[in-house]
Amino acid sequence: MGKVLGDVLGLAAGVAISPLPIIAMILILATPRGRLNGVLFTVGWILGLSALGAVMLAIASPAGASAHNHPATWVGALKLALGLFLVLFGTRQWHRRPKDPSQAQLPKWMSAIDRLTAVKVFALGLALAALNAKNAPLTVAAGAAIGSAGLPAGQQIGSLAIFVLIATLGLLAPLAVFLLGGERAKTTLGNWKDWAAQHNVAVMAVLFFVLGLKLLGDGISVLTS
């Protein structure tokens, strides 16, 4: 289990450092029902990651993802494909980044966050976790890594739970500041939002590229061993 956690912690950190979900959380906390909506958004995020990871475990376990405690060939091919996707996407993002960070623009849907109902806030957290172009490949890769390690079911579930917890730290940080920071919380979160908005594309491009290279290396290692 220790080796599996070593493989997935980097992927979990990559999910956690997601500027757009963090910005969305800060905007949600600024709404009139920020406390409730922030919790609902976090719960949706956790369920989205958990569901996607669980689906991958359900596929991997009966599909021969592990042979004699070694990942099956298809697991290596999957990691190779995911790694190639992330590297190409990261390269594309880097070339599309604004030359002047102050000119960076947030997605248009963020302007409607203050009008979302509680159900839609929950659904937004679910979607940003499970359908995000970075989070989904990383969660699938983590599920494949856990499922291919030949662990008992209990340890697989525990490993996935640790992955989800680490991957949620990026949202828990602004939520904790909001709940515990008092009067200074608004200024602190505003500064975080401004920085994340300006550097979102560059940060995402670097994460895509670095984590893509890691998955490429993992995939090649599985296929050649």
Side-chain angles (χ1 to χ4, degrees):
M1 184 172 175
K3 182 180 183 302
V4 171
L5 290 178
D7 289 338
V8 303
L9 284 182
L11 301 175
V15 175
I17 307 172
S18 299
L20 282 183
I22 293 173
I23 294 171
M25 169 63 92
I26 293 172
L27 293 175
I28 287 169
L29 292 173
T31 62
R33 303 179 67 186
R35 185 184 299 265
L36 173 62
N37 287 343
V39 172
L40 287 174
F41 182 75
T42 304
V43 171
W45 172 275
I46 291 172
L47 289 180
L49 292 179
S50 300
L52 187 57
V55 167
M56 192 61 215
L57 287 182
I59 293 173
S61 296
S66 174
H68 306 293
N69 294 325
H70 183 272
T73 300
W74 73 264
V75 175
L78 175 64
K79 289 186 174 183
L80 195 67
L82 293 174
L84 182 60
F85 167 77
L86 290 177
V87 167
L88 293 177
F89 202 88
T91 302
R92 180 172 175 266
Q93 288 287 92
W94 181 260
H95 287 298
R96 294 181 61 186
R97 77 191 191 283
K99 302 303 180 183
D100 181 359
S102 65
Q103 301 300 315
Q105 295 183 346
L106 293 175
K108 293 181 179 179
W109 58 264
M110 284 193 171
S111 63
I113 278 183
D114 60 340
R115 300 190 295 274
L116 295 181
T117 63
V119 173
K120 289 182 179 180
V121 168
F122 172 82
L124 179 62
L126 198 71
L128 287 178
L131 303 179
N132 183 280
K134 173 175 70 66
N135 295 342
L138 295 181
T139 304
V140 168
I146 296 170
S148 64
L151 297 175
Q155 292 187 16
Q156 289 188 20
I157 294 172
S159 298
L160 180 60
I162 292 173
F163 168 83
V164 172
L165 175 62
I166 300 300
T168 308
L169 291 180
L171 298 186
L172 293 178
L175 182 60
V177 169
F178 176 79
L179 296 176
L180 305 174
E183 294 298 324
R184 299 179 58 185
K186 184 176 181 179
T187 300
T188 300
L189 293 177
N191 291 336
W192 287 8
K193 179 182 72 68
D194 292 341
W195 187 92
Q198 291 182 9
H199 301 284
N200 166 56
V201 177
V203 170
M204 292 295 290
V206 172
L207 283 174
F208 275 128
F209 194 77
V210 172
L211 293 172
L213 288 178
K214 179 189 184 303
L215 288 177
L216 280 174
D218 291 345
I220 292 172
S221 176
V222 171
L223 293 175
T224 58
S225 61

